[in-house]
Amino acid sequence: MSSAPASPTPENQSRREQVENAVRNADRSRVALYGVLVALVGFYLAPLEAGLMTAFKTTNAFNTTSPFLPAIWPFASGGFTTGPWQTAFDTLWNGLVNSMLLAVPATILSAGLGSIAAYGVTTIDWKYQTLIVALFVAGIFIPYQAVLVPLSRLFAIVNTQELLGFLWGLPLMHEHYASIINLIVAHVAYGIPITFLLFRGYYQTLSGEMIEAARLDGASVFSIYRNVVLPLSKPMFAVTLIYQFTQIWNDLLFALVILPSGGGAAAPVTIALNSLSGGIITSFNTQMAGAFVAALPTLVVYVLFGEQFAKGVAG
Amino acid sequence: MQRIRDTLKRLTPGKEAGESEVEGQSTVRTDGGVVSETETERGQSLVSRDFLQSIPFWLPPFLLMGFFVYGAIGWNFVISLTDFSGLLLPEYKISAFDFEMYRQALNDPTFWTAARNTLVLLVAFTGLCLVFGMGLAILVDQEIRFENTFRTIYLLPMSLSFVVTAKFWAWMYNFKIGMINVTLRQFGLDFLAMQWISNPDTKLAAVIFALIWQFSGYAMVVYLAGLRAIPDAHYEAARVDGASTLKMYWRVILPQLRASTMSAAVVLMVFALKAFDFLYVMFGNNPGPAADILATMMFREAFGSNNWAYGSAIAIVLFLMALAVVAPYLYAEYRRGEL
């Protein structure tokens, strides 16, 4: 404005001055906009950044240096260590393995069952169809507290080791794997409502013509799914697998309730991380390193498939 | 679904559009022609064959889910009518539905504190997340550069588990070396530095703030999808009418985001009900009266003190609260034909 002297009203301004002013104002609000956006980046990343810095400090260093700054020269001399990562990794390794053994099969099974259930319900024209859909979808909104007591009782009564041996003549597996199978069953059962909803939304948008063409060719419901719908479902499988993997990997509650006596050898990484604090002295550097180690798989999934993750959570 | 169904009706003999859908009756076309007997039978048998063939697809997942969801809730309700505090199975001595455990809850001050905190958490967390998320969505929607990067960063905390975020925030809120107090002291604001999570006055607010950090990105994603669905013509019309930016968003855009608000609010409330993990990691089995919610109280009673029946009764109360929130939403979706 100051560089446009003696032109208080638009009429007195030359056309060029008017354009310059408009551009300058637009620039100014753009700068403000980006300023706010970057400040918000700070808000979301500050805990993670400071946590990462802390995980590389000795206990003495994180008591004395600024939480945002690294423990290396020129910000601070000395106090840099990878010890917390070593401790965290050693302590959480067993939990990471258990979480993988749990999350991979449970993710695949829940996505697969959600897909076939959504296909089955979507392709039929039946008067109770809406009721079935409503019962599936309502399952998403159940507060898990309402099923915890029965769940813990159920898995206390059912001996998975012996049941599998009885039903399929499988040899007795280690108790630890039987516990993980119990958790897988629970995660699959409670995952079905959300995977059902995701796939149903997608199958509703699939073109009916293609399915109909296959039907008129005499294809059965099964072969239509196998040959037409399943190949078209790939993008939705990506979304669902990412969403379910994150959910199952991040769960604490079911593991607390279903695994006997605080998880023991079968404890997933969330339980292991929760008990990492141990003792009276809380060493935040080890805890922060542990939090990153435990979060690593979902962070990797998120960095690689951020777009699909966003699609998944937005339904 | 509607499209598939329309195609089905169009292409399936005897089930053409415009025909009566009542099965098993000889039907009259709207154009007056009478459907031949064979056509109707073919139509029926085709549909019922499809129905029969679809059963193996949806029934096993339905039974698995139904057993664990609806069966378990029923079982939980039965337990809540007993006085079970044993080790394995309750002795189902249901004393003629006297709702003893529910009566006990209503007379328990801890229950009322937890119920109040649950409501505060639900309302404050959901409301603030929606406001914050909508602000984020509007900012990100301004045709900015690096939009993907900003969006990715704002949504990032949601990929973390409650356990991880609770670890981070327990440290952030630490009185002596926590980032918040350290930063305040650096700016000479020592009087603002406080015991964020051990002070009853700030405890619940601190929890809600951390949860907003974790989930506001979700509200942003939902609102962004809603904003993108509004035709540009609506913005232009508001501009032509001379509406200010604020007025445009308040009067023109906000009302059109009603569906986004509804669906985001319901999902955020579900997250709030699951905030148990966060509280459990931060405060252990007992967060104390300032931050005790029904979920933590239920867990403590059932799994900490073996008061299974009492814990089950609290769980049923929590379930009814969730039902009161979700049932109207599901019904609205059903009425709109979205289900």
Side-chain angles (χ1 to χ4, degrees):
Chain A
M1 281 294 197
S2 56
S3 63
S7 54
T9 57
E11 292 89 74
N12 293 344
Q13 285 178 335
S14 72
R15 176 135 189 89
R16 194 178 148 184
E17 279 172 326
Q18 283 181 37
V19 170
E20 275 174 359
N21 273 341
V23 168
R24 205 170 300 127
N25 285 338
D27 278 353
R28 213 172 286 155
S29 65
R30 291 308 269 184
V31 168
L33 174 66
Y34 282 104
V36 174
L37 289 168
V38 170
L40 285 163
V41 168
F43 172 66
Y44 285 103
L45 291 188
L48 303 176
E49 194 268 345
L52 194 61
M53 293 300 122
T54 297
F56 282 108
K57 286 174 191 171
T58 59
T59 311
N60 189 40
F62 79 69
N63 276 324
T64 53
T65 56
S66 162
F68 292 107
L69 296 178
I72 46 167
W73 190 86
F75 306 104
S77 47
F80 176 87
T81 173
T82 52
W85 294 89
Q86 193 69 49
T87 314
F89 206 74
D90 288 347
T91 324
L92 298 182
W93 175 249
N94 189 40
L96 287 170
V97 173
N98 287 335
S99 281
M100 274 295 167
L101 290 175
L102 160 71
V104 172
T107 300
I108 293 169
L109 282 170
S110 63
L113 286 175
S115 165
I116 64 166
Y119 169 75
V121 170
T122 308
T123 43
I124 58 169
D125 200 1
W126 184 42
K127 59 177 171 172
Y128 298 117
Q129 193 202 36
T130 318
L131 178 69
I132 299 287
V133 172
L135 286 173
F136 266 116
V137 173
I140 298 169
F141 304 105
I142 301 302
Y144 288 142
Q145 266 70 22
V147 297
L148 289 186
V149 171
L151 206 55
S152 76
R153 293 307 87 199
L154 177 74
F155 288 120
I157 302 162
V158 175
N159 186 329
T160 306
Q161 279 175 304
E162 288 179 5
L163 187 70
L164 290 176
F166 175 74
L167 287 179
W168 286 295
L170 294 175
L172 273 194
M173 67 188 87
H174 196 281
E175 195 184 338
H176 154 179
Y177 296 113
S179 297
I180 292 179
I181 288 178
N182 289 343
L183 259 183
I184 291 175
V185 170
H187 277 297
V188 170
Y190 292 110
I192 288 173
I194 182 71
T195 58
F196 173 87
L197 184 74
L198 290 170
F199 278 108
R200 180 172 158 78
Y202 185 67
Y203 292 158
Q204 284 177 328
T205 66
L206 279 186
S207 159
E209 316 265 328
M210 213 180 315
I211 293 172
E212 195 45 46
R215 191 194 304 270
L216 290 180
D217 285 348
S220 67
V221 171
F222 176 77
S223 70
I224 293 173
Y225 178 73
R226 175 78 187 70
N227 299 313
V228 182
V229 174
L230 199 56
L232 289 173
S233 304
K234 271 182 201 155
M236 208 56 223
F237 263 103
V239 170
T240 311
L241 290 173
I242 292 162
Y243 182 80
Q244 276 302 95
F245 181 80
T246 317
Q247 289 298 301
I248 296 168
W249 185 275
N250 286 345
D251 168 73
L252 173 77
L253 187 56
F254 284 158
L256 279 178
V257 166
I258 291 172
L259 300 179
S261 62
V269 73
T270 43
I271 286 199
L273 175 63
N274 181 41
S275 43
L276 191 64
S277 53
I280 301 155
I281 303 159
T282 335
S283 49
F284 279 118
N285 50 0
T286 310
Q287 288 198 45
M288 291 298 112
F292 276 106
V293 169
L296 202 63
T298 55
L299 281 177
V300 167
V301 164
Y302 182 71
V303 169
L304 291 180
F305 309 104
E307 281 296 297
Q308 280 100 324
F309 181 79
K311 264 186 229 155
V313 295
Chain B
M1 180 64 230
Q2 199 52 51
R3 215 189 303 167
I4 295 177
R5 213 182 278 161
D6 286 346
T7 320
L8 259 175
K9 277 182 192 143
R10 209 168 51 243
L11 296 173
T12 311
K15 283 283 274 176
E16 282 172 32
E19 246 176 32
S20 160
E21 282 196 51
V22 182
E23 287 173 26
Q25 288 176 5
S26 107
T27 48
V28 180
R29 288 189 212 218
T30 41
D31 61 13
V34 179
V35 182
S36 74
E37 210 50 45
T38 44
E39 253 186 293
T40 315
E41 273 170 20
R42 266 177 65 207
Q44 274 176 27
S45 68
L46 203 65
V47 165
S48 67
R49 195 197 68 191
D50 280 358
F51 172 62
L52 287 176
Q53 283 192 352
S54 78
I55 289 177
F57 284 86
W58 60 265
L59 194 61
F62 184 75
L63 291 178
L64 179 66
M65 184 275 307
F67 173 77
F68 275 92
V69 173
Y70 299 104
I73 291 173
W75 189 358
N76 186 87
F77 182 65
V78 171
I79 293 174
S80 78
L81 298 177
T82 66
D83 56 0
F84 172 52
S85 57
L87 281 175
L88 271 179
L89 269 177
E91 291 175 41
Y92 290 106
K93 270 188 247 158
I94 302 170
S95 10
F97 292 90
D98 69 352
F99 295 98
E100 174 57 36
M101 290 303 150
Y102 296 89
R103 208 177 307 146
Q104 188 183 327
L106 296 183
N107 292 321
D108 184 348
T110 312
F111 170 82
W112 287 107
T113 316
R116 199 207 60 187
N117 288 340
T118 307
L119 274 180
V120 171
L121 178 71
L122 273 180
V123 174
F125 163 74
T126 309
L128 290 170
C129 259
L130 289 177
V131 172
F132 204 58
M134 187 185 289
L136 285 175
I138 289 173
L139 288 176
V140 171
D141 197 35
Q142 303 300 316
E143 290 171 8
I144 52 168
R145 273 202 228 177
F146 311 116
E147 184 198 311
N148 279 355
T149 314
F150 284 115
R151 210 167 16 138
T152 306
I153 291 171
Y154 299 159
L155 191 63
L156 173 73
M158 202 188 158
S159 70
L160 305 173
S161 68
F162 278 117
V163 184
V164 168
T165 56
K167 286 282 172 200
F168 276 117
W169 283 91
W171 171 66
M172 298 275 287
Y173 285 135
N174 182 279
F175 180 69
K176 198 166 145 268
I177 55 162
M179 210 183 82
I180 292 174
N181 282 349
V182 168
T183 313
L184 286 172
R185 289 191 196 107
Q186 268 176 355
F187 286 97
L189 300 167
D190 295 49
F191 62 96
L192 281 179
M194 56 174 101
Q195 301 268 15
W196 300 102
I197 47 173
S198 41
N199 179 353
D201 293 336
T202 53
K203 202 178 207 174
L204 192 57
V207 168
I208 291 171
F209 187 80
L211 293 177
I212 290 170
W213 174 82
Q214 193 172 2
F215 290 112
S216 47
Y218 171 75
M220 174 198 69
V221 171
V222 175
Y223 275 125
L224 211 48
L227 284 172
R228 298 277 151 90
I230 297 173
D232 286 347
H234 291 218
Y235 291 90
E236 277 153 28
R239 289 248 184 267
V240 169
D241 287 351
S244 68
T245 309
L246 202 66
K247 222 172 209 168
M248 179 184 78
Y249 274 107
W250 187 250
R251 294 268 176 80
V252 182
I253 305 303
L254 195 62
Q256 299 192 55
L257 291 173
R258 225 178 59 94
S260 304
T261 305
M262 278 264 277
S263 70
V266 168
V267 176
L268 287 170
M269 285 185 192
V270 174
F271 288 141
L273 289 169
K274 287 178 182 166
F276 166 85
D277 287 16
F278 187 90
L279 289 159
Y280 184 80
V281 174
M282 213 153 202
F283 304 114
N285 227 346
N286 192 353
D292 202 15
I293 59 174
L294 289 175
T296 50
M297 183 190 179
M298 178 271 160
F299 190 87
R300 185 170 64 246
E301 290 294 343
F303 297 94
S305 321
N306 282 347
N307 293 330
W308 301 104
Y310 193 37
S312 301
I314 299 163
I316 291 292
V317 173
L318 194 59
F319 168 67
L320 292 177
M321 275 176 81
L323 199 65
V325 169
V326 170
Y329 169 76
L330 284 179
Y331 185 68
E333 290 281 287
Y334 169 68
R335 288 292 297 269
R336 282 171 53 222
E338 291 286 311
L339 219 56

